[in-house]
Each structure stands twice: as structure tokens, then as C-alpha cells.
Amino acid sequence: MGVFIFFILFPFIFVDALDATCSSVKCGHDDLDIRFPFGVRGHHDQRCGHPGFELFCKQNKTIIHFPSYGDLVVKSISYDIKKLNLLDPKNCVHGVFLNLNLSLTPFEYYYVAKNFTYLNCSTRLSPSFDQVPCLSSSNYHVYVVESTSEVPASCKHVKTVAIPFAYTPYLSDNSFGLGLTWGTCRKDSGTGGGRPGFQSKFGHPRCFMLAHGKASSITVVIFMVALVIGVKTYSSKKLNKQTEKAHQEVEKLLGDRKALAAHI
């Protein structure tokens, strides 16, 4: 009976232990609550977050690192609408737009992206063009224009990228436009048989296995296996006891018949 109870309780003990390991974390004194699908380096077990969602704490700030650009500060995380709001510590949002490559990450821009072209000009353009101060100097001037615009003679094409906004001095802080979103775990007809998959630009299923300490599919499997083993073990022991009792009754009956025969 004790073995049976152990197999029944084991999955729940496993989940409780995982829940304790994957509890939410804060890097500073702000209200930023970090939990699944994000994990904090040095604080969470690697199973608590999904690959590409690793954050780390630096000087009481929550940081995410992108190899194509560097570190960005996490301003807020909205789990309900799946939005990650970032700040650029270099105070140059269009520097982030120019260099950030999201194609190898689980993220994409929260706002609709449109193709814009970065121009490097040797002279200032007319006032109808807004220069990007953080990318310009006294020797060259950087502008962001729609990709269909004609390139002035004094300018060279730098790069065309899909970004949420062109530069404007009215939206020149270090956060506007740095909103990212991520996919959801849902049925994807392209994964074969309609299995749940992590729908993303990668085109293959990447469904989260562990959701902040709650029972995952693997835990359910463990529970079912443990339950079957427990039931079989319990049933086997019960059957053995019943068989043994039956044998004892048969032996007693035979003994009584033998004693009766001796008196005849």
C-alpha cells in the first residue's frame, strides 16, 4: 500500500519542487516580475525559461542581450498581451533598429514593421528630412527615409531594414518603438497532424514544456505511468494475499477431511 501511495504522490512532489525552483524573480526594487517563459541567469533553473528568453540582472536592472546589438534594458513585460518593452542604454533607438537582427530570436516587433532606408549623407539635406542625431556627426549626416524614396546625390545607401518607425524628433527617446512580442503555443497545421507547436517565424514547433512549475506533458506521462505501476503493484499484492488465503483455506479443508477419514 505504501508503494502505491508513493507512486500516486510522486508527480505532485515533482511539480512542487519545480514550482519552488521556478518562482518569480525581481532584479531590483521595481515591479518587474520575471517568470516563464523568461528565466533569470543565476536565479532560475534552465528548465524554467525557454531558449532565447534568458534575462540577467545588472546593477539592479533587468537586461536582455542580443548578439547583433548588445544589451538592452527591460522596462516592462506584459504577459497577457505578450509584449516586452525595452530601453536602449546608449539612448539611440535608431541605432538599435539599424543593427538589431530578430530573425534568429523568438521575438519580433510588436508594432507593424515597414521597410525604411538609412542614408549616410556628406551634406545636410533640406529641413523636410529629419537627421538622426545619435548616428550623425559633424562630418556625416544620417537620415531614415522610406525605401521607395529617391536617394539624393550627396547620400549613400547604408541599409534597408523593416522597422516600426522612421526617425522624428518628437519620438526621440530611448524606448519608443522598442516593443517586442513573441509567439504562442497553439495548434499548427504545418507541424504534422495538428500537434501543438510554438508558432514562430522559424516555421517549426517549439512548444513550451514547462510552464512555471505547472504540470507539463512529461509530468502527466510520469503520473500516468506511476499510476499504472502503482495500481498493478497494489493489485498484484492484493491478489497474492487472496491467493495465499485461498491456499490456506484449501489446506485447512484437506486437513479436516483427512482427520475425518481417520475417525471412520
Side-chain angles (χ1 to χ4, degrees):
M1 186 66 181
V3 175
F4 176 69
I5 295 175
F6 169 78
F7 278 117
I8 291 295
L9 295 180
F10 171 76
F12 300 99
I13 296 172
F14 172 79
V15 170
D16 288 340
L18 183 61
D19 184 66
T21 306
C22 297
S23 57
S24 62
V25 171
K26 294 180 183 293
C27 282
H29 302 294
D30 53 21
D31 295 326
L32 187 58
D33 188 38
I34 307 169
R35 52 186 171 84
F36 188 88
F38 296 92
V40 180
R41 185 192 307 166
H43 294 274
H44 281 142
D45 186 282
Q46 62 179 0
R47 296 171 298 174
C48 298
H50 197 74
F53 287 79
E54 183 183 59
L55 308 177
F56 64 95
C57 300
K58 183 179 180 180
Q59 297 177 347
N60 291 325
K61 294 181 179 179
T62 306
I63 307 294
I64 185 169
H65 178 80
F66 293 99
S68 59
Y69 181 77
D71 295 343
L72 293 173
V73 178
V74 180
K75 181 180 179 181
S76 64
I77 303 174
S78 300
Y79 295 94
D80 54 343
I81 60 175
K82 296 181 174 60
K83 185 181 181 185
L84 182 70
N85 290 306
L86 306 175
L87 297 170
D88 179 29
K90 300 176 184 177
N91 295 315
C92 189
V93 169
H94 274 274
V96 180
F97 288 159
L98 179 61
N99 296 286
L100 187 61
N101 181 5
L102 295 176
S103 64
L104 298 179
T105 76
F107 302 103
E108 58 188 36
Y109 287 114
Y110 184 81
Y111 302 100
V112 177
K114 179 182 177 181
N115 283 337
F116 287 94
T117 297
Y118 284 76
L119 300 177
N120 187 340
C121 306
S122 57
T123 60
R124 287 181 179 273
L125 300 182
S126 67
S128 61
F129 293 89
D130 292 316
Q131 180 180 237
V132 184
C134 64
L135 296 177
S136 304
S137 73
S138 58
N139 299 321
Y140 56 87
H141 312 276
V142 176
Y143 298 87
V144 181
V145 299
E146 291 190 11
S147 57
T148 55
S149 301
E150 184 178 350
V151 179
S154 63
C155 302
K156 293 182 179 180
H157 175 277
V158 177
K159 190 177 183 181
T160 297
V161 291
I163 58 178
F165 306 102
Y167 175 79
T168 167
Y170 301 104
L171 304 173
S172 59
D173 63 25
N174 62 345
S175 65
F176 193 82
L178 286 182
L180 304 181
T181 187
W182 61 92
T184 56
C185 189
R186 60 178 181 270
K187 287 188 176 180
D188 178 11
S189 58
T191 61
R195 294 177 297 172
F198 184 75
Q199 182 69 20
S200 72
K201 62 175 75 67
F202 296 106
H204 58 79
R206 305 199 306 147
C207 191
F208 297 132
M209 290 195 65
L210 299 175
H212 187 52
K214 294 182 180 178
S216 65
S217 57
I218 190 171
T219 307
V220 174
V221 171
I222 292 174
F223 171 75
M224 295 304 295
V225 172
L227 181 61
V228 170
I229 294 174
V231 169
K232 285 188 175 181
T233 302
Y234 178 73
S235 299
S236 177
K237 286 187 175 182
K238 188 174 182 180
L239 180 61
N240 289 339
K241 288 183 179 180
Q242 291 176 342
T243 303
E244 183 180 353
K245 185 177 180 180
H247 285 169
Q248 291 175 351
E249 290 179 352
V250 170
E251 289 178 356
K252 182 180 179 181
L253 179 61
L254 291 175
D256 292 343
R257 291 185 61 185
K258 186 175 181 180
L260 179 62
H263 285 85
I264 295 176

